[in-house]
Structure formats: C-alpha cells, structure tokens
Amino acid sequence: MNTTTDNSLAPSLVQSLRAGTREMHERLDKAIMAADPFASLPGYARFAELQYLFHRDIAALYAHEALQYILPGLAERQRLGLIAADLADLGKALPADDMPPAFTAGEPVDVPTALGWLYVAEGSNMGAALLRKEAAKLGLSDDHGARHLAPAAEGPAAHWRAFTAGLDAARLGPDEEARAVAGAKAAFDRVRSLADARLA
Ligand code: HEM
C-alpha cells in the first residue's frame, strides 16, 4: 500500500533524501573545506576536476526522457558544459577517469536511483552560493573559471524549489523511495571518493 505520498505527516521524498544523506553531506563538506581547495588556483582547479568527473557520471540522466518528464526543465540544469568551460578558462585539460560513467546514454536506468543521484547534483547548487564567494577571492567569476557556480537566473532558492517540487510529485512507493535514497548515498560516496583522491 502506498500511503506515503498521500499522508501529510509522512516525510516527502526530498525530506527522506535529506535525512538519509545528512551525515554524508556534513562529512563531505568538512573533507572539502579541510582540503581548502579555494585557497589557491591550483586547488580550485582540482575541485573543478572533481566536479567534472561527478557531473560526467550523471550527464546521461539530464537527457533521459522519463526523468525529463518527472523533472521539467531538467536538460537545462546540466552543468557539465559549464565545468568544462571553467577548466578551459583555467588552462586545464578535461580529466580522464579509468572508470566508465555511472550512467551511460541509451542504457536502462532505474528511475528512483537516478532521482537520488540528481538530488545530490542539484542540491549541491545550494552550497555553490558559498563556494562562488570563495572563488571570487581567487579572481574567478560567472564568466571566467567559476561559471558552474553561478546562480540560476531566478535565484538558487527558486531553482531548487522547482526541482524539489518535481521530486516530491514523483509519488514513489516505499521500495522506490528506498532506491532513491540509496542512489543519493551512492552519489555522495562517489563525490567523497573523488574528493579523497583529488583534494586530500
Ligand atoms: C560537490 C560537493 C557537494 C555536494 C554533492 C553537496 C550536496 C548538497 C545537497 C544535496 C544539498 C541539498 C540539501 C537539501 O536541502 O536537501 C546541499 C545543500 C547545501 N550545501 Fe552542499 N554539497 C557539496 C558541497 C558543499 C560545500 C563544500 C559546502 C560548504 C561548506 C556546502 C554547503 C551547503 C549548504 C549551505 C547547503 C544549503 C543548506 C540549506 O539551505 O538548507 N555544500 N548540498
């Protein structure tokens, strides 16, 4: 029985995703800030490489038809091209990775799992507001080097609300919700291992 989405006392999907990953997010924030990537341009370039590899993992999801239906405007949210432009601004080649991307265009995708990964990528825009201020101290801007940290035209909060409204309207059953939370955890794991390998 799926009463979860009809019961206003039950947590929404976004609340479950947030609660299920809160500790992972806190640990990731601390690990990133401890590595202090915003102290220098080479440090920032390593952070941009991390972002590139994470967003490369999920690039196929932004073009996925069913996900675009659930999340209107999804394709326009994709930041991989902006991160590539940031790396070019910094005189860096696109980083190579031994692993294939987590999702590949044309291959079947478990939609709830994909929603969890996208929650992490889109949620990271909220922290981007802080990171953008740090990048500005290095002389970077929305037009040079820190394009992918620029806020959406309507503002980060409104942009985030539109995304989370789509997630919460997806009406997942309990098993699907559990897969979404597992997807979000896998995404945080992936970012964490990139941070450990590239920033530490
Ligand atoms: C690439 C690394 C990061 C990822 C994947 C990430 C992920 C997320 C996610 C998923 C959310 C949304 C949480 C929610 O409201 O449901 C979020 C929010 C946020 N993040 Fe991060 N984050 C990252 C790095 C950082 C860093 C380094 C900081 C700063 C130290 C930070 C600070 C914040 C803040 C302040 C919010 C907003 C909290 C709020 O307004 O409720 N994040 N991030």
Side-chain angles (χ1 to χ4, degrees), residues 12-14 16-18 20-21 110-120 167 170 172-188:
S12 71
L13 175 59
V14 172
S16 297
L17 289 165
R18 187 178 295 137
T21 59
D110 180 59
V111 166
T113 304
L115 292 176
W117 279 78
L118 287 170
Y119 160 79
V120 177
L167 281 183
L172 302 188
D175 291 353
E176 293 168 321
E177 185 163 311
R179 299 210 297 281
V181 173
K185 288 183 174 178
F188 269 112

Side-chain angles (χ1 to χ4, degrees), residues 14 18 25 28-29 32-33 50-51 119-120 123-124 126-127 130-131 160 188 191:
V14 172
R18 187 178 295 137
H25 182 245
L28 175 66
D29 284 359
I32 291 179
M33 297 325 263
L50 171 163
Q51 292 279 61
Y119 160 79
V120 177
S124 72
M126 301 296 285
L130 294 173
L131 305 184
W160 176 236
F188 269 112
V191 179

Side-chain angles (χ1 to χ4, degrees), residues 61-182:
L61 302 183
Y62 289 86
H64 191 276
E65 210 172 318
L67 292 169
Q68 287 178 336
Y69 179 76
I70 295 170
L71 302 165
L74 180 65
E76 292 75 39
R77 290 179 173 270
Q78 158 107 269
R79 283 183 288 156
L80 186 66
L82 293 172
I83 303 168
D86 286 338
L87 286 167
D89 290 340
L90 298 165
K92 291 282 173 187
L94 299 182
D97 196 343
D98 300 338
M99 294 210 302
F103 298 93
T104 308
E107 287 190 6
V109 165
D110 180 59
V111 166
T113 304
L115 292 176
W117 279 78
L118 287 170
Y119 160 79
V120 177
E122 292 305 307
S124 72
N125 275 323
M126 301 296 285
L130 294 173
L131 305 184
R132 179 172 173 250
K133 286 192 189 132
E134 295 301 311
K137 294 179 194 162
L138 294 171
L140 305 174
S141 68
D142 298 350
D143 303 312
H144 181 83
R147 299 163 199 262
H148 81 280
L149 299 176
E154 72 267 33
H159 197 58
W160 176 236
R161 273 198 306 276
F163 177 78
T164 55
L167 281 183
D168 281 340
R171 306 181 74 83
L172 302 188
D175 291 353
E176 293 168 321
E177 185 163 311
R179 299 210 297 281
V181 173

